[in-house]
């Protein structure tokens, strides 16, 4: 398996505050890799740094073997990275269809209809809501739209930032099932930040644990799910 994404010794700052303190990790082609950790650990900062905003002050980021450190975000996206951001950030006044059109801006010309059909097959609820303003939908539907919008760009790697945040347990299960299906059917590489450690580790091929800007542990999803330290910190008291 080839390495699609390589993060090497990355340091990211907000002003004088160091949010990422020498992060090293890799994501292989076709893998689901998850990053777990407490609130404020730096997980979302890492995804944003990969996408070029903010730029790291130290270390390098490689995608498909090419150094993308410090490149502008639009260039990184055009290389095949798409993000479904924390809090969804859909365009609330636009319809579902218009949101999906926005996601397809960097896709291959002539591919819109095929990709739209694929997304609406994955998320039948979006098909029902195709002409509805996105801001009037439920949280779960908006999360489906955020993921669908990212998929419309035909990415080589999908970044998911807290896809289960604020959703009902049944909807969370649906979202994770779709993530698994995207990976299995489309061979999509997925790097996911998730606070719901139980679901994330069950889904992931490999996983990392982040504590205050540093990677403290890594292994297969199953290994971390069974690790007493991980269980005590992230899994005790229910899933």
């Amino acid at each position: 398996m080839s390495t699609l994404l390589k993060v090497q010794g990355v340091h990211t700052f907000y002003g004088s505050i160091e949010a990422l303190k020498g992060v090293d990790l890799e994501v292989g082609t076709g893998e689901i890799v998850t990053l777990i950790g407490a609130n404020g650990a730096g997980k979302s900062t890492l995804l944003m740094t990969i996408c070029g905003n903010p730029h790291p002050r130290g270390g390098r980021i490689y995608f498909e073997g090419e150094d993308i450190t410090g490149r502008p975000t639009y260039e990184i996206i055009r290389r095949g990275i798409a993000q479904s951001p924390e809090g969804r950030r859909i365009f609330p006044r636009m319809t579902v269809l218009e949101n999906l059109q926005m996601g397809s801006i960097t896709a291959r010309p002539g591919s819109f209809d095929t990709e739209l059909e694929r997304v609406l097959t994955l998320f039948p609820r979006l098909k029902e809501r195709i002409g509805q303003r996105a801001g009037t939908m439920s949280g779960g539907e908006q999360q489906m739209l955020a993921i669908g919008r990212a998929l419309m760009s035909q990415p080589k790697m999908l970044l998911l930032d807290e896809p289960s945040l604020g959703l009902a347990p049944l909807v969370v299960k649906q979202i994770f099932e779709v993530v698994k299906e995207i990976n299995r059917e489309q061979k999509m590489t997925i790097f996911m930040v998730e606070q719901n450690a139980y679901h994330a580790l069950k889904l992931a091929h490999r996983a990392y644990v982040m504590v205050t800007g540093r990677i403290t542990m890594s292994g297969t999803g199953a290994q971390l799910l069974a690790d007493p330290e991980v269980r005590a910190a992230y899994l005790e008291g229910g899933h």
Side-chain angles (χ1 to χ4, degrees):
M1 180 180 58
S2 59
T3 299
L4 188 63
L5 175 75
K6 185 171 187 177
V7 176
Q8 205 169 47
V10 162
H11 295 259
T12 298
F13 287 77
Y14 293 115
S16 61
I17 298 166
E18 189 175 14
L20 300 180
K21 303 169 183 176
V23 171
D24 293 289
L25 59 75
E26 293 185 6
V27 179
T29 303
E31 276 192 309
I32 299 176
V33 174
T34 194
L35 177 64
I36 65 170
N39 252 335
K43 306 184 303 296
S44 293
T45 297
L46 177 59
L47 291 193
M48 292 190 294
T49 301
I50 290 166
C51 288
N53 185 21
H55 293 313
R57 284 198 206 168
R60 314 304 299 172
I61 300 170
Y62 299 91
F63 185 66
E64 292 188 306
E66 287 194 43
D67 190 343
I68 60 169
T69 318
R71 298 281 174 90
T73 299
Y74 71 84
E75 198 176 304
I76 292 168
I77 300 306
R78 286 187 187 280
R79 285 173 182 268
I81 298 176
Q83 183 176 8
S84 174
E86 183 181 2
R88 303 184 270 277
R89 297 190 202 167
I90 45 117
F91 300 105
R93 291 174 180 272
M94 291 184 177
T95 65
V96 167
L97 179 59
E98 288 165 342
N99 270 270
L100 295 174
Q101 287 170 331
M102 292 297 288
S104 70
I105 286 171
T106 60
R108 280 195 322 273
S111 64
F112 178 79
D113 290 343
T114 304
E115 293 309 310
L116 180 64
E117 186 59 37
R118 186 178 289 176
V119 166
L120 296 182
T121 301
L122 275 173
F123 298 111
R125 189 65 63 84
L126 296 183
K127 192 169 188 174
E128 296 169 17
R129 303 278 192 267
I130 196 76
Q132 186 172 328
R133 279 196 181 188
T136 64
M137 298 198 302
S138 70
E141 290 165 348
Q142 289 183 20
Q143 184 61 67
M144 293 171 192
L145 180 56
I147 295 172
R149 182 181 60 185
L151 290 172
M152 288 297 295
S153 69
Q154 301 173 297
K156 296 168 185 170
M157 183 170 71
L158 179 63
L159 306 182
L160 296 176
D161 195 350
E162 302 285 9
S164 78
L165 189 65
L167 302 182
L170 188 61
V171 181
V172 170
K173 192 179 176 199
Q174 288 176 339
I175 294 290
F176 278 104
E177 281 172 357
V178 168
V179 171
K180 189 175 183 178
E181 186 179 339
I182 293 166
N183 174 256
R184 186 180 63 239
E185 300 298 328
Q186 301 182 29
K187 313 300 181 200
M188 178 75 66
T189 304
I190 296 168
F191 182 35
M192 178 171 63
V193 158
E194 181 53 65
Q195 269 193 292
N196 190 325
Y198 176 74
H199 279 298
L201 293 175
K202 273 188 76 175
L203 186 68
H205 299 116
R206 290 189 308 107
Y208 294 88
V209 178
M210 180 175 274
V211 178
T212 57
R214 291 186 171 89
I215 299 294
T216 58
M217 203 179 292
S218 65
T220 66
Q223 284 170 342
L224 293 192
L225 201 52
D227 186 279
E229 199 177 323
V230 172
R231 293 192 71 82
Y234 305 106
L235 298 171
E236 298 302 330
H239 304 324

